[in-house]
Amino acid sequence: MAGGPLRAQEATVAGRVERARDGRASPVTGATVVLHRVSAVAQGPIDTTRSDAAGRFAFRYAADTGAVYLVSARYAGIEYFAAPLPGRPGARDTGLVLAVHDTSSAVPVALAARSLVVTRPEGEGGRTVLDVFVLVNGSDLTRVAADTAVPVWAAPLPARITEPEVGPGDFTTSSVRLRDGAVALVASVAPGVRQLLLEYHLAAGQRELLVPFATPVDSVSLLLEDARATVDDPGFARGDTATIEGRQYRHWSGRIRSPGTLRVVLSPPRTDRLPLLALVALVALGFGAALWRFRARRAPAPAPAPAAPPPDANAILEELAALDARFAGREAELPPAEWQAYQRDRARLKAALEAQLAARAPRA
């Protein structure tokens, strides 16, 4: 009798591992599939199996409402993860598809969009810059490095910046190198859209920010909290001005048509300090994924509401960044249902962004 109620509380997940190539999917036999449990107090694998001849796998587990569960499959040395599973007793998900890919050290990873937020002078006169790179692998192969000395993607960083750090995004700190005036990515990059986030600082008295671009970029956006700052490029237009916490933020946007340097002219420094709450609101306006320093002062966020896919890449990028501003890095403090809703909405927006950007990326 004791086994009946206990079994009724078990959750079930089942699905298949598929290899995507040339627009077709084929089952993967013998792939190692792992079920992971992630909670505020512990995380790690709790079960493992191998996919059968049809690529199928299944797990039963004692679900915990205070945890999130993930399924991963290892293929060609790369670990691929599915979207989070609900930590709900009795939950059943029998249609999970884990897509894996062959690898290549030649398919390109392109910079499809870039967004920067530049604060006005803070504290003793320095400024903070939040820099978001949107990368796209438009092939159906996972890009890997040819060797440890060659990154899968790299880009120059502005001169005279200090304290560059990697923020929460799709890549860990260990997979990003920040040296010699450049950012270099050494992690594998699966097909689709990925975000790399950086924060760095400008010294007090610095009168310009010179942003180098090694390749053309279709979409570049800037939010300048400095009222007198301008973008010195005829291809960039000033957009709407937003008032947040009584402060004005200027939006500039344009595209980089050829390699070169984008010049942002800054005004003389002031000594007043930017309230952290204002920066939180600023980032939520369109570049929220980079806000990891100031997370502790945010109020609890409501669950994300489903929304129709935005009509273009810029709108999708802004919605995705705003969503990340409210939820990124807050898994431990949010109810599992909210966190899962965030993950689903983020996956939906990234899929929509991928559809907009993949066509622009060069293919192998």
Side-chain angles (χ1 to χ4, degrees):
M1 295 294 292
L6 178 61
R7 193 172 185 82
Q9 295 302 307
E10 288 184 333
T12 301
V13 58
R16 62 189 185 278
V17 182
E18 294 183 346
R19 180 177 69 93
R21 186 68 189 268
D22 298 328
R24 298 186 299 271
S26 57
V28 177
T29 302
T32 299
V33 185
V34 181
L35 176 65
H36 309 258
R37 179 181 183 272
V38 180
S39 71
V41 296
Q43 61 183 27
I46 58 174
D47 202 354
T48 184
T49 188
R50 286 191 177 269
S51 58
D52 66 15
R56 294 173 301 198
F57 64 88
F59 293 107
R60 289 183 181 273
Y61 57 99
D64 177 357
T65 56
V68 172
Y69 296 84
L70 302 168
V71 178
S72 69
R74 191 168 185 81
Y75 179 78
I78 309 294
E79 200 81 16
Y80 296 89
F81 284 83
L85 300 168
R88 186 177 68 251
R92 291 179 59 84
D93 188 338
T94 58
L96 190 68
V97 175
L98 268 168
V100 300
H101 306 271
D102 291 330
T103 61
S104 168
S105 59
V107 296
V109 174
L111 177 60
R114 187 171 179 180
S115 303
L116 298 97
V117 177
V118 184
T119 72
R120 76 183 189 185
E122 310 171 54
E124 297 179 358
R127 304 172 193 256
T128 299
V129 180
L130 308 178
D131 201 342
V132 184
F133 301 83
V134 178
L135 308 178
V136 60
N137 174 356
S139 75
D140 55 11
L141 301 172
T142 293
R143 172 62 191 271
V144 296
D147 60 58
T148 57
V150 180
V152 300
W153 174 84
L157 291 174
R160 300 173 61 195
I161 64 172
T162 61
E163 303 176 61
E165 297 182 38
V166 179
D170 293 313
F171 303 102
T172 63
T173 301
S174 62
S175 67
V176 180
R177 296 174 182 166
L178 296 169
R179 64 189 184 196
D180 301 326
V183 52
L185 181 62
V186 296
S188 59
V189 181
V193 176
R194 302 289 183 269
Q195 286 183 324
L196 171 61
L197 296 94
L198 301 180
E199 176 186 306
Y200 45 83
H201 301 276
L202 307 180
Q206 191 164 328
R207 297 294 301 274
E208 63 181 8
L209 172 63
L210 301 177
V211 185
F213 288 86
T215 61
V217 182
D218 282 345
S219 176
V220 178
S221 297
L222 301 97
L223 282 180
L224 307 179
E225 200 271 343
D226 182 345
R228 292 177 289 173
T230 60
V231 178
D232 185 18
D233 189 305
F236 277 71
R238 176 173 163 174
D240 295 337
T241 298
T243 302
I244 304 172
E245 295 293 315
R247 297 176 181 269
Q248 302 291 313
Y249 303 96
R250 274 70 178 180
H251 181 214
W252 295 76
S253 61
R255 61 188 302 186
I256 302 298
R257 299 182 182 275
S258 60
T261 299
L262 180 66
R263 180 171 180 255
V264 180
V265 181
L266 307 172
S267 66
R270 299 173 180 175
T271 58
D272 54 335
R273 185 172 182 82
L274 174 69
L276 298 184
L277 180 59
L279 186 57
V280 170
L282 168 64
V283 177
L285 181 65
F287 306 98
L291 189 63
W292 64 95
R293 282 186 180 273
F294 315 105
R295 189 178 301 118
R297 296 199 180 188
R298 292 183 295 185
D312 56 49
N314 284 334
I316 297 169
L317 180 61
E318 290 188 3
E319 187 174 349
L320 180 62
L323 188 71
D324 282 341
R326 295 159 57 197
F327 292 96
R330 302 183 60 203
E331 180 178 356
E333 64 186 86
L334 290 173
E338 279 191 47
W339 182 255
Q340 292 154 18
Y342 158 61
Q343 292 291 319
R344 288 193 298 271
D345 276 5
R346 194 175 196 275
R348 171 181 58 78
L349 289 170
K350 287 186 68 176
L353 185 60
E354 178 178 350
Q356 292 287 336
L357 298 180
R360 305 177 185 175
R363 294 178 177 268

